[in-house]
């Protein structure tokens, strides 16, 4: 069956679980460093190795990050909470249990605003956000006889963000993950890198005949290391479910792994024993009480969030949907834009410069905006210089901007003055050039006067050459038309 | 609650352990003794009493986010039954 055929008969129900690794300096319950890419088994401690007699102690920053994200997602913050043990046996979980939150997640309810498949705003309701710890890493393919275990990641703090089953298709899932990743990055709680696994997503997928009230059996898909792969896995599963149901089969409720090269999912066999995690309250970590004053303090320090900036750019600055979307997509780009518009109110020009010349330069050099040499205030000065008519856009882009890149501390006005790129305030100089150009080209001048309008381009080119590009195209056009009348 | 051999099997499988018949019976007996002992508590009337989660009244016992390396890689690996100079080694498990 094709996806289109399936969607005519079936409704899709998706819930997502996102695990975000927090960018704290130390782990969740012990002081060993939280650092990606270190030599294996060096960022460990007796606590994260699960040695007997050791006691965990919660990292303050983990609660702080959890509340930040909760407030950004409009959640209710739980005021009294504790941790729970989730028991399961696996070699990369040295304690034999994960310290997580079962009964009292730090955040409940709340929502994330996304665009649905038609581009309309949609609320994705959250069930909960809770704090927990990551496991270590098993490496199966490096040694022919044994599995290798690296416990650097054991105990790294995670936030698990769980949605209600309200996502209707792969596009919504994709857009939701983009939004969540943006929030994590704006809040500076997680770097949101799915390839490196600092943000991971599991998808619970089921389908039911349109109009049905009972959900179909759901399947949990794991191991998708990019947002694009979550999209692919969902589309694959939808069709797989429909084909089974159409052939009179039944969906086996199971966990499946996504296989990126084939774009398909593979069932994990031998898991017929349903998980029994035997949750119980964690006795080694005391209770947590959150005061309203603490919540208020965190709230007052929240940075501007992408959705807020998007609406500000559209409604207050008059930017297009396209510009606003592109600017807020990347937190550091948005912060840079915020800096530019502190110094100029030419918002559209600021957006054009940022998404045009500056973005091209970043792409060309393969660098991030944080490494961009020119200060936002200098870019604002350049824009002001163009706005005032002192230089034209071509000179600004082709001459002043490269000069600023070569000498980032220099003032654009000084650069333009020093190189004699400033357009003369009165039009006398341009008028003289135009008259000279007409004199030197009597044939073309006659034809232009007789109405051959396309020669305007020819004269414009000559004027630009004579003026070394300083002439403002708009003024020049006006003057060309004015002067030809008088000949 | 009474622990029978099926329950022992289930718990053993969750812990990835295997026992033979007589071991299982001994375990069932021990576990029943423990449960009977704890059952004594059921006699206390706890109507209206909030569950006690922690033995201490202390809340918000927190740590500043400061990273510190407490042990070396060599020390970390020291007690492992099987290892190389970098990793813990465990019997090959099929990729989960």
């Amino acid at each position: 069956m094709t996806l289109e055929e399936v969607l005519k008969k079936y409704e899709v129900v998706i819930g997502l679980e996102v695990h975000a690794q927090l960018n704290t300096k130390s782990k969740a319950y012990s002081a060993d460093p939280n650092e990606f890419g270190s030599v294996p088994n060096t960022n460990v401690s007796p606590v994260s190795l699960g040695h007997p007699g050791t006691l965990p102690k919660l990292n303050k920053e983990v609660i702080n990050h959890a509340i930040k994200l909760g407030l950004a997602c409009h959640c209710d913050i739980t005021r009294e909470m504790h941790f729970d043990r989730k028991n399961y046996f696996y070699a990369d979980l040295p304690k034999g249990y994960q310290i997580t939150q079962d009964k009292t997640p730090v955040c409940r309810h709340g929502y994330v605003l996304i665009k649905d498949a038609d581009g309309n705003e949609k609320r994705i309701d959250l069930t909960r956000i809770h704090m927990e710890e990551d496991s270590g890493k098993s490496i199966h393919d490096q040694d022919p006889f044994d599995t290798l275990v690296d416990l650097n990641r054991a105990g790294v703090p995670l936030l698990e963000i769980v949605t209600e089953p309200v996502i209707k298709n792969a596009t919504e899932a994709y857009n939701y993950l983009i939004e969540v990743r943006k929030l994590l990055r704006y809040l500076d709680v997680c770097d949101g890198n799915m390839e490196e696994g600092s943000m991971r997503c599991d998808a619970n997928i089921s389908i039911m005949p349109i109009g049905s009230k009972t959900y179909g059996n759901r399947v949990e898909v794991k191991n998708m290391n990019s947002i694009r792969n979550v999209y692919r896995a969902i589309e694959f599963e939808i069709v797989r479910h429909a084909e089974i149901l159409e052939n009179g089969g039944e969906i086996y409720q199971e966990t499946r792994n996504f296989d990126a090269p084939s774009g398909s999912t593979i069932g994990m066999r031998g898991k017929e024993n349903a998980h029994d995690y035997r949750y119980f309250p964690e006795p080694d970590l005391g209770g947590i009480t959150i005061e309203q004053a603490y919540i208020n303090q965190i709230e007052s320090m929240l940075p501007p969030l992408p959705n807020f900036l998007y609406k500000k750019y559209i409604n207050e600055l008059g930017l297009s949907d396209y510009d606003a979307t592109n600017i807020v997509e990347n937190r550091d780009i948005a912060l840079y834009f915020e800096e530019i518009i502190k110094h100029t109110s030419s918002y559209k020009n600021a957006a054009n410069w940022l998404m045009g010349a500056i973005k091209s330069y970043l792409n060309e050099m393969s660098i991030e905006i944080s490494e961009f040499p020119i200060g936002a205030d200098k870019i604002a000065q350049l824009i002001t210089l163009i706005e005032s008519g002192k230089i034209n856009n071509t000179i600004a882009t082709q001459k002043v901007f490269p000069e600023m890149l070569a000498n980032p501390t220099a003032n654009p006005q000084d650069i333009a003055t020093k190189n004699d790129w400033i357009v003369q305030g009165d039009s006398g100089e341009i008028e003289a050039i135009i008259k000279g150009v007409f004199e030197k080209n009597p044939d073309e001048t006659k034809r232009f006067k007789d109405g051959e309008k396309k020669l305007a381009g020819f004269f414009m080119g000559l004027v630009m050459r004579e003026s070394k590009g300083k002439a403002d195209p708009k003024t020049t056009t006006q003057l060309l038309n004015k002067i030809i009348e008088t000949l | 609650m009474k622990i029978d051999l099926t329950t022992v099997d289930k718990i053993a499988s969750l812990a990835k352990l295997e026992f033979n018949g007589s071991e299982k019976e001994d375990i069932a007996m021990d576990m029943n003794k423990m449960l009977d002992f704890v059952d004594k508590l059921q006699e206390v009337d706890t109507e209206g009493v909030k569950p006690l989660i922690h033995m201490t009244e202390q809340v918000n016992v927190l740590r500043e986010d400061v990273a510190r390396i407490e042990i070396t890689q060599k020390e970390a690996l020291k007690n492992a039954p099987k290892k190389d100079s970098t990793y813990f080694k465990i019997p090959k498990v099929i990729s989960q």
Side-chain angles (χ1 to χ4, degrees):
Chain A
M1 279 177 105
T2 67
L3 185 65
E4 270 185 11
E5 286 163 359
V6 175
L7 296 180
K8 276 182 199 144
K9 283 182 78 173
Y10 293 96
E11 195 174 322
V12 178
V13 181
I14 303 163
L16 296 179
E17 287 167 24
V18 169
H19 284 92
Q21 269 182 358
L22 300 183
N23 58 5
T24 53
K25 296 185 190 75
S26 64
K27 291 185 179 177
Y29 315 116
S30 54
D32 24 341
N34 169 17
E35 211 172 72
F36 183 80
S38 301
V39 175
N41 295 308
T42 53
N43 296 338
V44 289
S45 69
V47 174
S48 58
L49 293 176
H51 280 262
T54 57
L55 285 174
K57 196 169 178 189
L58 181 63
N59 183 346
K60 236 183 203 172
E61 201 65 7
V62 176
I63 303 184
N64 185 58
H65 280 15
I67 295 178
K68 266 161 92 173
L69 183 62
L71 291 172
C73 297
H74 319 275
C75 298
D76 301 330
I77 307 298
T78 305
R79 307 294 290 276
E80 288 197 14
M81 60 188 150
H82 63 266
F83 285 83
D84 298 281
R85 283 190 186 179
K86 177 178 176 176
N87 299 282
Y88 67 92
F89 187 91
Y90 205 78
D92 55 24
L93 184 79
K95 297 192 298 299
Y97 56 85
Q98 179 194 36
I99 303 180
T100 178
Q101 290 190 297
D102 179 41
K103 291 280 189 305
T104 56
V106 56
C107 311
R108 290 177 222 247
H109 314 305
Y111 60 88
V112 173
L113 286 176
I114 66 152
K115 290 260 166 72
D116 69 12
D118 300 321
N120 299 317
E121 195 169 82
K122 174 170 176 172
R123 257 173 78 144
I124 301 298
D125 291 320
L126 300 183
T127 313
R128 58 191 281 155
I129 300 174
H130 68 256
M131 304 181 269
E132 59 183 32
E133 62 178 325
D134 213 338
S135 63
K137 219 170 181 169
S138 298
I139 303 156
H140 304 287
D141 56 3
Q142 230 176 69
D143 183 294
F145 307 110
D146 294 303
T147 288
L148 307 178
V149 178
D150 172 11
L151 294 176
N152 279 350
R153 205 181 64 182
V156 164
L158 298 176
L159 288 180
E160 179 172 338
I161 308 148
V162 185
T163 74
E164 291 286 302
V166 292
I167 296 167
K168 294 284 169 214
N169 52 54
T171 306
E172 286 184 14
Y174 186 92
N175 292 349
Y176 168 77
L177 291 172
I178 296 275
E179 280 315 309
V180 169
R181 188 173 64 183
K182 249 192 268 177
L183 280 176
L184 293 169
R185 287 175 174 169
Y186 270 74
L187 294 166
D188 196 19
V189 299
C190 164
D191 67 17
N193 187 331
M194 284 193 66
E195 286 74 24
E196 282 180 2
S198 68
M199 175 174 147
R200 305 192 283 271
C201 174
D202 302 336
N204 288 297
I205 306 163
S206 71
I207 66 171
M208 58 185 176
I210 289 178
S212 169
K213 294 254 185 299
T214 34
Y215 292 148
N217 274 349
R218 68 184 160 83
V219 158
E220 182 176 13
V221 184
K222 287 176 180 283
N223 196 31
M224 300 159 288
N225 65 347
S226 71
I227 296 183
R228 177 80 205 148
N229 281 344
V230 174
Y231 183 96
R232 291 170 70 205
I234 289 173
E235 296 221 315
F236 176 84
E237 272 302 300
I238 295 172
V239 175
R240 191 182 71 86
H241 285 211
E243 282 174 349
I244 292 173
L245 294 178
E246 290 290 310
N247 291 320
E250 208 180 313
I251 308 295
Y252 182 49
Q253 187 156 335
E254 62 179 341
T255 302
R256 298 176 71 85
N257 264 332
F258 181 68
D259 177 58
S262 66
S264 63
T265 66
I266 299 154
M268 290 159 62
R269 288 176 195 287
K271 287 240 164 182
E272 68 282 358
N273 273 347
H275 285 296
D276 181 356
Y277 292 127
R278 293 155 292 155
Y279 284 100
F280 64 88
E282 168 60 64
D284 289 346
L285 282 174
I288 307 287
T289 303
I290 307 289
E291 303 292 343
Q292 186 60 45
Y294 180 56
I295 300 175
N296 294 348
Q297 186 202 336
I298 294 175
E299 188 154 34
S300 70
M301 282 164 22
L302 283 182
L305 295 173
N307 203 43
F308 168 83
L309 289 178
Y310 174 83
K311 287 187 170 152
K312 168 176 150 186
Y313 294 166
I314 297 275
N315 298 332
E316 289 171 40
L317 309 192
L319 297 186
S320 66
D321 167 71
Y322 178 82
D323 282 341
T325 307
N326 278 319
I327 292 170
V328 302
E329 190 173 281
N330 177 315
R331 178 189 72 145
D332 294 335
I333 293 276
L335 293 181
Y336 194 87
F337 182 71
E338 288 288 297
E339 278 303 309
I340 302 179
I341 61 172
K342 272 186 194 159
H343 305 282
T344 171
S345 50
S346 298
Y347 308 123
K348 178 70 191 155
N349 284 335
N352 287 346
W353 270 92
L354 183 54
M355 302 321 289
I358 296 177
K359 203 75 185 284
S360 314
Y361 178 76
L362 300 181
N363 290 344
E364 198 181 309
M365 306 299 287
S366 288
I367 56 170
E368 299 293 324
I369 187 81
S370 53
E371 301 159 279
F372 184 61
I374 306 174
D377 56 328
K378 295 275 186 311
I379 295 293
Q381 287 172 17
L382 178 63
I383 292 168
T384 307
L385 213 53
I386 304 164
E387 287 279 293
S388 64
K390 287 190 176 151
I391 56 173
N392 67 41
N393 234 324
T394 322
I395 290 275
T397 322
Q398 292 174 5
K399 308 260 175 147
V400 183
F401 183 62
E403 200 63 25
M404 289 167 79
L405 286 169
N407 190 0
T409 53
N411 186 317
Q413 165 105 41
D414 295 344
I415 292 175
T417 311
K418 199 177 75 193
N419 292 288
D420 195 21
W421 292 329
I422 300 278
V423 173
Q424 295 306 316
D426 64 275
S427 40
E429 193 186 345
I430 307 292
E431 275 190 41
I433 291 172
I434 292 176
K435 284 179 181 156
V437 163
F438 283 150
E439 267 167 42
K440 276 179 229 155
N441 300 279
D443 282 359
E444 287 83 357
T445 304
K446 190 170 177 315
R447 278 157 54 204
F448 187 44
K449 193 173 166 59
D450 292 345
E452 201 172 323
K453 287 287 172 236
K454 66 171 192 236
L455 281 166
F458 166 76
F459 287 114
M460 176 73 82
L462 292 175
V463 173
M464 282 296 170
R465 202 159 69 202
E466 292 281 316
S467 71
K468 300 194 191 70
K470 278 188 299 181
D472 176 53
K474 220 157 105 193
T475 322
T476 308
T477 311
Q478 283 165 3
L479 288 173
L480 276 171
N481 290 323
K482 201 174 100 191
I483 295 168
I484 199 78
E485 295 293 316
T486 64
L487 292 179
Chain B
M1 186 178 169
K2 194 91 186 130
I3 301 281
D4 54 20
L5 294 183
T6 325
T7 320
V8 174
D9 279 341
K10 191 186 159 201
I11 293 167
S13 121
L14 287 168
K16 305 280 187 286
L17 294 173
E18 272 176 31
F19 301 103
N20 65 35
S22 70
E23 284 173 331
K24 280 189 213 169
E25 279 177 27
D26 288 350
I27 289 168
M29 209 158 72
D30 279 351
M31 290 175 103
N32 276 318
K33 271 190 203 155
M34 288 183 238
L35 285 179
D36 289 345
F37 177 70
V38 177
D39 256 352
K40 189 82 187 146
L41 292 173
Q42 301 288 3
E43 292 167 19
V44 184
D45 179 13
T46 55
E47 191 65 35
V49 178
K50 260 173 74 177
L52 178 73
I53 293 178
H54 298 103
M55 297 304 289
T56 154
E57 302 274 298
Q58 274 188 309
V59 292
N60 297 355
V61 181
L62 302 171
R63 186 172 56 78
E64 294 296 327
D65 182 26
V66 179
R68 204 172 53 231
I69 292 183
E70 292 170 341
I71 56 167
T72 63
Q73 185 194 43
K74 205 172 164 197
E75 286 170 320
L77 296 166
K78 196 173 124 194
N79 294 317
K82 201 170 182 192
K83 67 211 164 192
D84 61 18
S85 58
T86 321
Y87 290 103
F88 296 94
K89 288 184 153 195
I90 57 163
K92 198 115 189 148
V93 280
I94 299 157
S95 160
Q96 58 165 338

